[in-house]
């Protein structure tokens, strides 16, 4: 081993505590700005990629951010619902393919997305295991979620109750997992997808129960109106859709009044997009139509403003750490003056003596950089989740 | 071997002056340098080793006129010809005994560290009875043993001139004699010139000659 390196390692090993402290100080001073930069860049890429692949989103008037973020990332937000009638209206214009999204529920904490099969095609989501949605009560789960909660086709997944204390509210539905999506590196990986009708069953609009014979099941009849028998609350409802009870599931009310959270619009062409934007720009329009890229850019501006504050803070911290390190090195140089003098008297050149000191600094900086690099690589893998947690959820 | 003629030296902004009209030290001679503190004993060693450059006069050592050498040539001279032993030992606390002995080879690219050097270091340490501490840290051995490590370090590159600057200053009487005898013995064995600075008159009897440096020293009044 080269003499300088040998002396460097001996010195650093002899002063373990000092060396470790210095490496940690430098690593920490470097880590924050590096991770922040890394995270913001990754976040920007991920956000923009999702936004660019989502041309337009329609939803009830209210927060544009909530509408965009919930429709693209399935984040929790209390969106005013819109109805299926709006989906049909858009469909009738022929300007765009409307993909309805119902996003009120969760299953094992994961967002439950009620939609149509068009969504899978639109997002280019492939079924990796099992099949696509086939009937009421089926669900398809994202790859990461399947891995996390250890579910596979054939297993059952229970939806979460919206409010456990609300006795008149919805009841959880035991869903049949029929497929697992391939990994897409998007929020779809962490979601549960069901048909809109299944979502409506979970919300209580549709249900299945045993058929009632007014003559024999008197305890279950609330009132009889001509040909119509109205059952009371004692009728046991099915909490799982099976082949046997599938036919008993039905919906009350007109389907065009059924609620949805938002609509993704895939315009036929640029002209159609402009026409749609014009259509919903009117003051009396019940819907708002947003371009996700515009919303994401606004969100990123906010993120960058927060980052600027962090950068300022980091700069000050880094300068302080730098000055402290410089002080430590200067004090160390002073303490080791006799060592340098001895080396000089033993024939060492001044440049060799300085090389020795610089090698020590280089080792500390190098080790710190390796640590920062290692953490940054790990962080990169989780950057999306962390930034999403910080800025979306 | 070493010849100083009409040599004048002074430190910048100091009243200290060293004027040596004539001083000759023969090869393999064992010399003790004495004199009160601050009279220039260490300065004389630093001049002979090429660390300090005389203001005037001639200083020829091992046939080399030191005044004509540039920095790197003086360094090369120091590496190849000089061995230094200090009063405070000046060992490196983060190195073990073996690495302290080998230190000149770590910091001088011109010295080749090979198996023969390792063997010689082992042999020297054995002759000084410190080979059992080869892997020990410096703070784990006694003062006398530390000075023996320092002597091994000075002798390892096989210098022609061994300069010892009060090497017994920090030792007890028994160790003082031991260190002096070791220096004399190794200088004799390797045929090296030994110049040892000391304050202790009881150590002078084994030296061939004693130089009292006080006679070359003067203090000049500054304006």
């Amino acid at each position: 081993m080269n003499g300088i390196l040998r002396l460097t390692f001996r010195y650093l090993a002899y002063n373990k505590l000092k060396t470790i402290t210095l490496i940690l100080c430098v690593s920490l001073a470097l880590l924050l700005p590096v991770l922040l930069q890394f995270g913001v860049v990754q976040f920007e890429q991920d956000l923009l990629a999702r936004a660019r692949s989502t041309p337009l989103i329609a939803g009830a008037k209210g927060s544009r951010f909530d509408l965009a973020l919930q429709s693209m990332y399935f984040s929790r937000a209390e969106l005013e619902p819109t109805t299926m009638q709006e989906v049909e209206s858009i469909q009738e214009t022929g300007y765009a393919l409307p993909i309805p999204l119902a996003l009120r529920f969760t299953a094992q904490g994961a967002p439950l997305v009620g939609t149509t099969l068009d969504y899978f095609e639109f997002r280019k989501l492939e079924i990796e295991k099992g099949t696509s949605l086939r009937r009421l009560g089926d669900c398809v789960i994202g790859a990461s979620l399947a891995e996390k909660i250890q579910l596979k086709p054939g297993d059952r997944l229970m939806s979460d109750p919206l409010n456990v204390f609300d006795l008149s509210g919805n009841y959880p539905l035991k869903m049949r997992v029929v497929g697992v999506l391939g990994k897409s590196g998007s929020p779809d990986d962490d979601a549960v997808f069901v048909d809109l009708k299944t979502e409506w069953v979970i919300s209580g609009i549709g249900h299945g129960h045993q058929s009632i014979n007014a003559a024999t099941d008197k305890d279950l009849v609330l009132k009889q109106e001509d040909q119509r028998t109205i059952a009371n609350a004692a009728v046991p409802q099915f909490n799982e859709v099976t082949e046997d009870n599938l036919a008993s599931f039905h919906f009350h009310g007109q389907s065009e009044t059924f609620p949805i959270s938002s609509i993704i619009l895939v315009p036929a062409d640029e002209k159609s997009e402009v026409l749609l934007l014009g259509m919903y720009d009117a003051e009396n329009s019940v819907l708002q139509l947003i371009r996700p890229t515009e919303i994401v850019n606004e969100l990123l501006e906010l993120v960058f403003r927060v980052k600027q504050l962090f950068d300022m803070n980091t700069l000050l911290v880094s300068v302080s750490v730098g000055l402290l390190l410089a002080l430590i090195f200067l004090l160390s140089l002073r303490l080791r003056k006799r060592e340098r003098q001895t080396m000089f008297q033993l024939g060492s050149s001044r440049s060799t003596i300085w090389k020795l000191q610089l090698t020590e600094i280089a080792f500390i900086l190098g080790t710190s950089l390796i640590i920062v690099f290692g953490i940054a690589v790990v962080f990169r893998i989780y950057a999306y989740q962390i930034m999403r947690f910080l800025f979306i959820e | 071997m070493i010849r100083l003629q009409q040599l004048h030296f002074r430190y910048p902004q100091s009243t200290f002056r060293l004027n040596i009209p004539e001083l000759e030290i023969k090869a393999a001679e064992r010399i003790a340098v004495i004199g009160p503190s601050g009279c220039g004993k260490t300065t004389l060693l630093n001049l002979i080793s090429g660390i300090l450059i005389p203001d005037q006069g001639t200083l020829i050592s091992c046939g080399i006129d030191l005044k004509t050498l540039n920095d790197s040539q003086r360094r090369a001279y120091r590496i190849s010809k000089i061995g230094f032993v200090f009063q405070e030992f000046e060992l490196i606390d983060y190195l073990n005994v073996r690495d302290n002995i080998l230190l000149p080879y770590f910091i001088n690219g011109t010295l080749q560290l090979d198996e023969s050097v390792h063997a010689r270091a082992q042999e020297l340490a054995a002759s000084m009875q410190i080979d059992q501490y080869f892997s020990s840290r410096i703070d784990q051995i006694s003062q006398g043993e530390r000075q023996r490590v320092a002597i091994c370090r000075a002798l390892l590159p096989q210098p022609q001139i061994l300069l010892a600057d009060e090497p017994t200053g920090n030792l007890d009487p028994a160790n003082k004699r031991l260190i002096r005898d070791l220096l004399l013995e190794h200088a004799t064995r390797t045929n090296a010139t030994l110049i040892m600075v000391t304050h202790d008159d009881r150590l002078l009897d084994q030296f061939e000659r004693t130089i009292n440096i006080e006679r070359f020293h003067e203090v000049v009044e500054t304006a």
Side-chain angles (χ1 to χ4, degrees), chain A residues 10 338-339 344-345 347, chain B residues 75 86 88 90 94 99 108:
Chain A
R10 291 273 196 274
R338 283 183 70 160
E339 179 187 325
F344 181 68
Q345 285 178 306
Chain B
R75 200 167 63 80
F86 308 93
E88 302 283 347
E90 306 301 350
Y94 57 83
D99 286 349
N108 296 315

Side-chain angles (χ1 to χ4, degrees), chain A residues 214 218 220-232:
Chain A
K218 286 198 172 96
L220 303 176
V221 175
L222 184 68
K223 59 181 173 178
Q224 184 76 37
E225 288 176 350
D226 303 328
Q227 296 296 308
R228 208 165 148 223
T229 305
I230 300 172
N232 64 26

Side-chain angles (χ1 to χ4, degrees), chain A residues 47-335:
Chain A
L47 269 184
L48 282 175
R50 186 78 166 174
R52 283 185 189 126
S53 67
T54 312
L56 293 170
I57 295 172
K61 285 189 170 172
S63 166
R64 295 180 307 135
F65 284 104
D66 282 351
L67 178 61
L69 296 179
Q70 193 176 27
S71 304
M72 290 190 293
Y73 297 96
F74 316 134
S75 60
R76 303 295 303 153
E78 295 299 324
L79 286 182
E80 276 297 311
T82 183
T83 62
M84 278 303 285
Q85 189 174 4
E86 302 301 336
V87 178
E88 283 162 22
S89 302
I90 294 165
Q91 186 93 58
E92 280 164 16
T93 62
Y95 293 149
L97 167 72
I99 304 171
L101 296 173
L103 303 156
R104 286 173 298 170
F105 299 98
T106 57
Q108 292 213 9
L112 193 137
V113 183
T115 186
T116 59
L117 291 177
D118 289 334
Y119 183 85
F120 299 98
E121 203 176 318
F122 165 66
R123 291 279 186 220
K124 297 183 176 61
L125 299 173
E126 304 273 333
I127 302 285
E128 195 177 73
K129 288 180 209 159
T131 63
S132 187
L133 303 170
R134 284 188 298 194
R135 64 154 168 80
L136 197 69
D138 282 355
C139 72
V140 165
I141 56 177
S144 304
L145 182 67
E147 216 173 277
K148 188 175 150 194
I149 59 177
Q150 293 290 304
L151 283 183
K152 57 184 186 308
D155 291 340
R156 297 291 186 269
L157 174 64
M158 197 73 121
S159 70
D160 300 330
L162 211 54
N163 184 347
V164 286
F165 302 109
D166 182 6
L167 297 175
S168 62
N170 64 300
Y171 295 101
L173 180 73
K174 192 186 270 184
M175 297 171 289
R176 182 175 71 159
V177 179
V178 290
V180 175
L181 295 171
K183 217 165 189 114
S184 63
S186 73
D188 299 324
D189 290 344
D190 300 300
V192 178
F193 295 91
V194 294
D195 184 71
L196 271 178
K197 284 179 180 165
T198 305
E199 207 267 358
W200 290 331
V201 167
I202 295 168
S203 69
I205 296 168
H207 57 213
H209 54 74
Q210 69 175 74
S211 56
I212 303 160
N213 185 324
T216 56
D217 301 322
K218 286 198 172 96
D219 295 347
L220 303 176
V221 175
L222 184 68
K223 59 181 173 178
Q224 184 76 37
E225 288 176 350
D226 303 328
Q227 296 296 308
R228 208 165 148 223
T229 305
I230 300 172
N232 64 26
V235 179
Q237 289 191 16
F238 299 122
N239 73 342
E240 184 180 4
V241 183
T242 62
E243 298 300 337
D244 297 336
N245 67 19
L246 179 61
S248 78
F249 276 83
H250 57 276
F251 295 88
H252 294 276
Q254 303 297 310
S255 66
E256 61 265 28
T257 63
F258 290 171
I260 53 168
S261 304
S262 60
I263 311 160
I264 292 175
L265 278 77
V266 189
D269 49 41
E270 270 183 44
K271 187 182 164 189
S272 303
E273 185 176 335
V274 175
L275 287 169
L276 279 167
L277 284 165
M279 236 171 80
Y280 287 97
D281 198 27
E283 284 236 343
N284 59 353
S285 166
V286 289
L287 289 187
Q288 62 172 331
L289 197 57
I290 57 166
R291 272 199 174 110
T293 44
E294 287 172 7
I295 305 297
V296 164
N297 280 325
E298 280 178 47
L299 180 70
L300 284 173
E301 271 178 39
L302 176 75
V303 172
F304 285 126
R305 273 205 292 274
V306 174
K307 185 180 172 284
Q308 274 177 343
L309 280 175
F310 265 106
D311 285 346
M312 289 270 285
N313 183 48
T314 307
L315 183 72
L316 289 175
V317 172
S318 301
V319 168
S320 327
V321 170
L323 288 173
L324 276 173
L325 290 176
L327 182 68
I328 291 167
F329 282 124
L330 284 173
L331 288 174
S332 171
L333 283 181
R334 187 178 286 186
L335 277 173

Side-chain angles (χ1 to χ4, degrees), chain A residues 4-45:
Chain A
I4 288 178
L5 282 180
R6 183 191 287 250
L7 291 177
T8 300
F9 288 129
R10 291 273 196 274
Y11 175 77
L12 295 173
Y14 183 75
N15 298 287
K16 278 187 210 78
L17 194 63
K18 179 185 150 190
T19 306
I20 292 169
T21 309
L22 282 174
I23 288 172
L24 284 178
C25 283
V26 177
S27 301
L28 286 174
L30 293 174
L31 202 57
L32 190 60
V34 168
L35 292 191
L36 199 63
Q37 182 62 27
F38 228 157
V40 167
V41 168
Q42 183 71 29
F43 185 56
E44 186 186 5
Q45 283 172 359

